[in-house]
């Protein structure tokens, strides 16, 4: 082993190391808070999927000219089709509401033109 004759090794004291660790932890916690806010504020793939499914259901109802089922469950999302009011003798105002595990996830409202078959039902 070599000896150090009259030379000191440069190093940090325990207090300096602790202060540096505290500063790093504060910066890291601020960064994690900002990161979680960005993730929660963005459009998730689940919301995009629900909106696409709402549009698909709207097109199906328009194509069929009537509501076949008032309640659907697709990919664990509940879709409720509601006839809110009759806008005129030829059209109905319909609304499709989506809820994901009990929380509202989206809705869409549209007019449905009635055909002669649905008036007789």
């Amino acid at each position: 082993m070599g000896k150090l004759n009259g030379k000191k090794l440069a190093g940090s004291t325990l207090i300096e190391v602790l202060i540096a660790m505290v500063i790093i932890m504060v910066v890291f916690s601020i960064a994690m808070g900002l990161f979680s806010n960005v993730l929660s504020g963005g459009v998730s793939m689940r919301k995009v999927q629900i909106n696409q499914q709402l549009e698909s259901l709207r097109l199906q109802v328009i194509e069929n000219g009537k509501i076949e089922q008032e309640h659907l469950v697709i990919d664990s999302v509940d879709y409720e089709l509601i006839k809110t009011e009759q806008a005129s003798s030829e059209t109905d105002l319909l609304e499709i509401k989506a809820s994901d595990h009990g929380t509202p996830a989206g809705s869409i409202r549209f007019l449905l033109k009635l055909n002669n078959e649905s008036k007789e039902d």
Side-chain angles (χ1 to χ4, degrees):
M1 275 197 208
K3 293 184 177 180
L4 297 174
N5 294 329
K7 292 183 180 179
K8 287 189 173 182
L9 291 175
S12 301
T13 64
L14 182 61
I15 302 235
E16 290 172 337
V17 172
L18 290 175
I19 291 173
M21 287 177 54
V22 167
I23 291 172
I24 289 171
M25 287 179 12
V26 168
V27 169
F28 183 72
S29 65
I30 290 172
M32 287 300 295
L34 292 173
F35 183 70
S36 68
N37 285 341
V38 167
L39 285 181
S40 66
V43 177
S44 69
M45 286 301 294
R46 184 78 167 165
K47 289 180 184 178
V48 171
Q49 180 184 17
I50 289 171
N51 286 335
Q52 288 176 344
Q53 192 65 41
L54 282 170
E55 183 64 23
S56 173
L57 288 172
R58 182 186 73 86
L59 292 175
Q60 285 178 5
V61 170
I62 290 173
E63 182 180 312
N64 294 337
K66 60 181 178 179
I67 299 175
E68 293 180 2
Q69 295 178 339
E70 292 184 4
H71 186 77
L72 296 169
V73 178
I74 303 171
D75 294 334
S76 73
V77 178
D78 296 324
Y79 296 95
E80 186 176 359
L81 286 78
I82 304 167
K83 178 181 169 184
T84 56
E85 61 184 48
Q86 188 166 356
S88 71
S89 62
E90 297 179 1
T91 59
D92 280 340
L93 181 60
L94 299 176
E95 183 174 14
I96 304 173
K97 292 183 180 181
S99 60
D100 189 15
H101 301 291
T103 59
S107 66
I108 188 169
R109 294 175 71 176
F110 59 96
L111 289 172
L112 177 65
K113 185 176 180 181
L114 299 174
N115 53 16
N116 293 334
E117 296 172 5
S118 63
K119 287 182 183 178
E120 296 173 1
D121 290 342

